[in-house]
Amino acid sequence: MQDVFQYVETHRARFVEELCTLLRQPSISAQDVGVTECAARVLSLMSEAGAEARLIPTPGYPVVYGQVSAPGAGRTVLIYGHYDVQPPEPLELWESPPFEPSLRNGRIYARGAGDNKGQMFAHLKALEAILRTRGRLPVSLKLCFEGEEEISSPNLPAFVQKHRKLLAADVVYASDGPMHPSGPTVFFGCRGLLYLELTVAGAKRDLHSGNYGGVAPAPAGRLAQALASCWTSRGRVAVEGFYDRVKKPSPADRRVLGAIPLDGRTIRQDLGVSPVAGPGARAYYERLLMQPNLNIAGLTAGYQGPGSKTIIPHVARAKVDVRLVMDQDPDDIEEKIRAHLKRRGFGDIEVKRLGAVPPSRTPVDHPLGQAVVRAVTQAWGRRPVLFPNLGGTIPDYLFTRVLGLPSIWVPYAPHDEANHAPNESITLEGFMNGIRSTAAALFEIAAA
Ligand SMILES: [Zn+2]
């Protein structure tokens, strides 16, 4: 890899300058600001890097798609990324304007620097570096960069379904999200999500609790009872069958979980409380990554202002998010929650689904995953931390379930990238080692 890595180092200043140019182009999907212009810019960057690139329309913003064929190569790698960014507000908290990239403290500060333009652009520069030094890629490459990730990828599921042939590959490689605080990171999937809203309705208006207390329905109390029935006194989810499909961590998962560094003191300082998971890194990460969780994300009823107001609120509402692990299915879990409420006498509670994404996993000991781990080790000069999956949720199931591919994620942004927040950044080290990681990954995947 020396020649390729040398090319990356030689062209460092230009790569940074080009990234800054891309970061100057706003692409705020939530506000319809500059996204189409940004797609056009990504298209030319993709072509300049050496791919046969085109825009593929969707009902929303286009996918920038590129292909580089390598005749005789045994494998095809599909790289996913996104070129849209979060809104930059609140503007007054930025130390430099969000769309005027600023280099300081060894970082590039700008909206999209970490999430995801810096990481996405690193793939293009890896492509350029290999083609300019070797003349051809060791694998065939497909690039799929969407413009709607920050608004929950509304058109990506249909796009992937429709273009299964076009996207056919041997493995998906993607870079998004932050690295673990200890350094380079590789993860193999994510927890899923089921988001529900529970509503209990009573009278058609709030009632005086002196005039009606004890004789009128009391939605807030009823909702509290229904929610409380969902857990045992020890904090386990009491919804019948909730854990039925939860897989035990494999021996490889256990090894990986036990090797993730856990800095309990920093977590306590950051949160102001101690985590509830039992002692040790393995218990902490097993609970966080490989166990499902039922959480009340919002709870609303009645009077919440200063002082007292004696009413029976006429409606009570809860937002509930369920983090799902393999092999749980959002439809099945929603059914079980409905059945549980009915069985406990809360069949009148209205349950509305606000969103669902299935969980997704690639085995941590997958040979192509191991190839990527070797590549990241070469790029950084040390072994990455491995995560069986994220605690959070990304649409990884589109790759693993719809396309049926192993999917390996290698974030290039620092743990404190401040994505979605003011003063977002990527470190120059992360950007440059990201380019080297992608380049090395293509060779390691070819050789595996
Ligand atoms: Zn984001």
Side-chain angles (χ1 to χ4, degrees), residues 82 86 115 149-150 420:
H82 68 91
Q86 283 275 316
D115 183 13
E149 197 272 350
E150 300 296 3
H420 301 207

Side-chain angles (χ1 to χ4, degrees), residues 351-432:
V351 178
K352 188 172 150 198
R353 180 192 283 205
L354 301 184
V357 179
S360 176
R361 272 295 309 271
T362 294
V364 290
D365 48 3
H366 192 287
L368 296 184
Q370 293 307 306
V372 169
V373 171
R374 286 195 294 278
V376 177
T377 305
Q378 283 174 50
W380 283 83
R382 59 188 165 121
R383 264 185 74 81
V385 175
L386 308 192
F387 277 74
N389 51 264
L390 290 184
T393 302
I394 48 177
D396 193 47
Y397 77 98
L398 294 173
F399 308 128
T400 54
R401 288 204 194 181
V402 179
L403 297 180
L405 302 177
S407 166
I408 297 138
W409 291 74
V410 188
Y412 300 159
H415 71 98
D416 54 353
E417 64 169 319
N419 48 341
H420 301 207
N423 305 307
E424 178 180 348
S425 69
I426 191 166
T427 59
L428 290 169
E429 183 192 36
F431 174 57
M432 295 299 291

Side-chain angles (χ1 to χ4, degrees), residues 324-342:
L324 307 166
V325 297
M326 301 300 280
D327 286 326
Q328 289 180 306
D329 172 73
D331 295 343
D332 176 61
I333 293 297
E334 179 176 337
E335 213 30 69
K336 285 177 168 150
I337 290 173
R338 285 175 185 278
H340 166 88
L341 291 173
K342 203 175 237 173

Side-chain angles (χ1 to χ4, degrees), residues 19-78:
L19 173 57
C20 288
T21 306
L22 177 61
L23 292 169
R24 279 185 203 105
Q25 170 64 55
S27 52
I28 312 164
S29 45
Q31 301 173 346
D32 192 21
V33 174
V35 190
T36 311
E37 292 86 337
C38 190
R41 182 153 291 168
V42 174
L43 177 72
S44 26
L45 288 170
M46 203 183 261
S47 307
E48 284 162 25
E52 222 177 278
R54 61 186 161 115
L55 296 181
I56 304 183
T58 76
Y61 297 114
V63 167
V64 187
Y65 177 81
Q67 234 169 319
V68 186
S69 50
R75 290 213 168 91
T76 301
V77 178
L78 170 64

